[in-house]
């Protein structure tokens, strides 16, 4: 029993709830219960200090049970169907002499809550001394039928070990990796790999601590499933503030130009296989299902919330039906528990319908093994199945599409990629800025007419190689078509860009002169007919350059007009000309 002091402390403690929402729809999925008032209740400077003292006093598990009662009681008053609660566990409760399983079921029964609503959150912080303790705790709760989330993923030493052994349902990427991710390629790469591994293992990913629109864009782009942070809502003590739908998230998703792309799965590739519900599953239904669907090799199994729980394979059930127990199993409806061992959740990989083709194919190729295909979900709910043959077809078509997006001569990205880069650049945070450079050859048509298209292609290839050598891999180099090129920069100051562009103009003029005949080179011009058939003299090739800088306050609607004007003006100058788009 808790001492009077601890009872007083517990009575003063409260829980705030912070929503966890679907990243594309803003529909609420869960709330995390966050302990509050620890300073007022017992003068503790942090929640960690509270639990440290309870651990040293040997009452950590007793305290935890009292807090569960408080959290689940408050949660039960939120009037939103199918909502989950993420409750944080201190893994040290495993070392308490009074630790035992079963108390949570009693609490849930008391407040008339389903077991499916509870998800226990375990942090990988502080697991260096005994990494196996968290893994063991996860396994115990999983065996009891509760969902498990790994919190603060990436901050501890045992994270990947936990992923491998614990079979968690969720991982929450720590705020450290989310903060300013749009400006940190290492963070983005790290999170991308974590998400790919998690999805391959059938684990749902929560981006934790998202505070800005720019962080949201990147988390969505790299495939996070769920979102939590101030950008959605701060933790609230008042449950009346919890919303069923966060329309700001839905709107920003719909407004994000990057979602409107051809790089998405065709619904015709998705097969809807009628699932069976795990809650009322029995052998009779399974036998009948395979009898009526002889072409199918497995049945998808979902729960009452339409979450895919696994598959039942036809070959195992077929062998069972031929056994001496087959008839008795069919006649006995009360054998749902025996079926659990036939529900396979290994190699069950889920992908979201909102993901790009590239993301879905990446998950599929990473999974490999005996995978027959992928389950497709919408906001985590079962939508259908894409078999391996369709995935191979999608992969082939995507490779063809990627090839067509590149300029066939220079192999540089083309117009679609340029448009995407420009639009993404306008989704920038206040500390970032982008610079665009448009290159256009001067007097290229007369050169082509005089020297032929093959020589003209040599000039285009020459310029593309100059661009690749001059600019680093961090620059975005693209070929608009013909003699027009585009280069994009992020967070490179204008003087640096201006000097580099001027250097390219000079280098191109020097190197392209070697392609001319000796007579033309000595004269410094070529004589040929213009577009009206009049004989004229044209200078040797050079390239004009228009530089345009945009910042956080720049408006996309101003872009086309300003860019057109500056490109026209650049043709009058031998050196680069530039300007900046402002809000007004």
């Amino acid at each position: 029993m808790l001492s009077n002091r601890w009872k007083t402390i517990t009575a003063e403690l409260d829980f705030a709830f912070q929503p966890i929402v679907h990243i594309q729809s803003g529909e609420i999925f869960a709330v995390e219960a966050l302990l509050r008032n620890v300073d007022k209740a017992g003068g503790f400077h942090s929640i960690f200090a509270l639990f440290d003292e309870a651990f040293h006093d040997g009452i950590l598990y007793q305290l935890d049970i009292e807090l569960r009662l408080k959290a689940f009681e408050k949660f039960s008053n939120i009037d939103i169907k199918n909502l989950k609660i993420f409750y944080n566990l201190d893994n040290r409760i495993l070392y308490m002499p009074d630790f035992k399983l079963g108390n949570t079921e009693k609490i849930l029964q008391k407040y008339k809550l389903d077991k499916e609503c509870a998800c226990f959150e375990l942090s990988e912080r502080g697991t260096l001394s005994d990494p196996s303790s968290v893994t063991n705790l996860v396994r115990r709760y999983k065996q009891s039928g509760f969902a498990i989330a790994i919190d603060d993923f990436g901050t501890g030493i045992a994270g990947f070990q936990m992923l491998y052994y614990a079979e968690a349902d969720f991982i929450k990427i720590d705020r450290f990796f989310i903060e300013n991710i749009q400006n940190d390629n290492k963070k983005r790469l790290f999170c991308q790999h974590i998400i790919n591994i998690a999805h391959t293992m059938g684990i749902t990913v929560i981006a934790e601590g998202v505070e800005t629109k720019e962080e949201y864009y990147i988390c969505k782009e790299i495939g996070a499933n769920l979102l939590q942070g101030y950008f959605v809502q701060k933790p609230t003590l008042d449950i009346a503030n919890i919303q069923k739908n966060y329309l700001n998230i839905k709107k920003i998703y719909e407004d994000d130009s990057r979602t409107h792309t051809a790089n998405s799965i065709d619904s015709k590739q998705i097969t809807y296989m009628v699932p069976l519900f795990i809650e009322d599953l029995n052998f009779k239904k399974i036998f009948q299902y395979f009898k009526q669907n002889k072409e199918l090799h497995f049945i998808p199994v979902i729960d009452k919330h339409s979450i895919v729980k696994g598959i039942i394979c036809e070959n195992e059930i077929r062998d069972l039906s031929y056994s001496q127990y087959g008839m008795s199993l069919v006649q006995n409806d009360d054998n749902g528990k025996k079926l659990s061992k036939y529900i396979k959740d290994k190699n069950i990989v889920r992908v979201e319908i909102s993901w790009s083709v590239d993301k879905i194919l990446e998950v599929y190729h990473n999974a490999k093994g005996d995978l027959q295909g992928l389950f497709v979900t919408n906001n985590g709910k079962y939508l259908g199945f894409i078999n391996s043959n369709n995935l191979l077809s999608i992969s082939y078509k995507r490779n063809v599409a990627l090839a067509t997006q590149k300029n066939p001569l220079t192999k540089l990205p083309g117009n679609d990629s340029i448009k995407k880069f420009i639009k993404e650049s306008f989704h920038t945070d206040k500390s970032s800025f982008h610079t665009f450079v448009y290159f256009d050859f001067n007097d290229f048509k007369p050169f082509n007419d005089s020297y032929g298209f093959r020589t003209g292609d040599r000039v285009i290839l020459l310029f593309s190689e100059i661009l690749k050598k001059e600019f680093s891999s961090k620059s975005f180099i693209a070929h608009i078509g013909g003699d027009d090129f585009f280069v994009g920069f992020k967070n490179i100051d204008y003087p640096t860009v201006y000097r580099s562009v001027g250097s390219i103009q000079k280098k191109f003029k020097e190197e392209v002169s070697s392609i001319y005949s000796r007579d033309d080179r000595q004269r410094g011009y070529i004589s040929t007919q213009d577009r009206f058939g009049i004989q004229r003299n044209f200078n040797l090739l050079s390239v004009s350059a228009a530089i345009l800088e945009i910042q956080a306050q720049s408006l996309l609607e101003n872009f086309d007009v300003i860019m057109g004007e500056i490109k026209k003006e650049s043709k009058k100058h031998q050196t680069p000309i530039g300007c900046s788009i402002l809000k007004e």
Side-chain angles (χ1 to χ4, degrees), residues 123-137:
S123 175
E124 69 157 305
R125 293 182 188 273
T127 59
L128 181 58
S129 59
D130 185 10
S132 64
S133 64
V134 176
T135 301
N136 290 334
L137 190 59

Side-chain angles (χ1 to χ4, degrees), residues 28 51 163 177 213 228 287 396 556 564:
I28 194 166
F51 286 115
L163 267 187
F177 297 103
K213 180 169 64 175
Q228 180 181 1
F287 290 147
Y396 171 77
L556 180 60

Side-chain angles (χ1 to χ4, degrees), residues 409-410 441 444 447-448 451-466 482-483 485 508 511-513 515-516 541-542:
L409 177 63
T410 60
F441 293 175
F444 186 62
F447 175 87
N448 251 349
Y451 279 84
F453 289 104
R454 287 191 178 181
T455 307
D457 286 348
R458 280 182 58 197
V459 172
I460 291 171
L461 286 170
L462 169 67
F463 188 72
S464 70
E465 290 303 314
I466 292 173
D483 59 329
F485 287 81
F508 174 69
E511 294 189 17
V512 78
S513 64
I515 295 177
Y516 286 90
L541 285 173
S542 62

Side-chain angles (χ1 to χ4, degrees), residues 144-158:
S144 297
F146 294 108
I148 293 294
I150 301 174
D151 193 17
D152 307 318
F153 190 86
T155 58
I157 199 68

Side-chain angles (χ1 to χ4, degrees), residues 270-275 302 382-385:
I270 303 172
T271 301
Y272 181 77
M273 301 169 63
V274 178
I302 65 175
Y382 173 70
L383 193 65
F385 185 79

Side-chain angles (χ1 to χ4, degrees), residues 411-556:
K411 308 303 181 187
L412 290 173
N415 284 312
D416 288 345
S417 299
I418 295 170
K419 291 176 183 177
K420 180 181 178 182
F421 179 86
I422 291 171
K423 289 180 180 179
E424 288 181 356
S425 298
F426 279 87
H427 291 296
T428 188
D429 63 290
K430 294 180 180 179
S431 62
S432 297
F433 56 93
H434 292 76
T435 306
F436 309 141
V437 183
Y438 279 82
F439 291 100
D440 183 15
F441 293 175
N442 297 314
D443 300 322
F444 186 62
K445 186 181 184 305
F447 175 87
N448 251 349
D449 293 342
S450 180
Y451 279 84
F453 289 104
R454 287 191 178 181
T455 307
D457 286 348
R458 280 182 58 197
V459 172
I460 291 171
L461 286 170
L462 169 67
F463 188 72
S464 70
E465 290 303 314
I466 292 173
L467 290 177
K468 293 173 187 177
K469 290 177 183 177
E470 179 68 25
F471 296 129
S472 70
S473 58
K474 293 182 179 180
S475 306
F476 173 71
I477 304 172
H479 188 177
I480 300 170
D483 59 329
D484 293 312
F485 287 81
F486 174 93
V487 182
F489 304 91
K490 181 178 180 180
N491 294 338
I492 305 296
D493 62 86
Y494 183 86
T496 301
V497 172
Y498 186 90
R499 286 194 297 270
S500 296
V501 171
S503 174
I504 281 176
Q505 288 179 306
K506 181 179 178 182
K507 190 172 295 185
F508 174 69
K509 194 168 185 177
E510 291 172 351
E511 294 189 17
V512 78
S513 64
S514 64
I515 295 177
Y516 286 90
S517 67
R518 184 173 62 181
D519 291 344
D520 286 343
R521 190 165 54 249
Q522 287 177 345
R523 281 196 303 268
Y525 63 87
I526 61 173
S527 180
T528 187
Q529 291 182 348
D530 63 16
R531 65 183 65 186
F532 303 108
I534 300 173
Q535 194 74 15
R536 286 179 53 198
N537 295 336
F538 294 92
N539 293 326
L540 302 187
L541 285 173
S542 62
V543 62
S544 59
I547 306 174
L548 186 61
E549 182 183 70
I550 67 166
Q551 304 200 19
Q553 69 271 26
S554 301
L555 297 179
L556 180 60

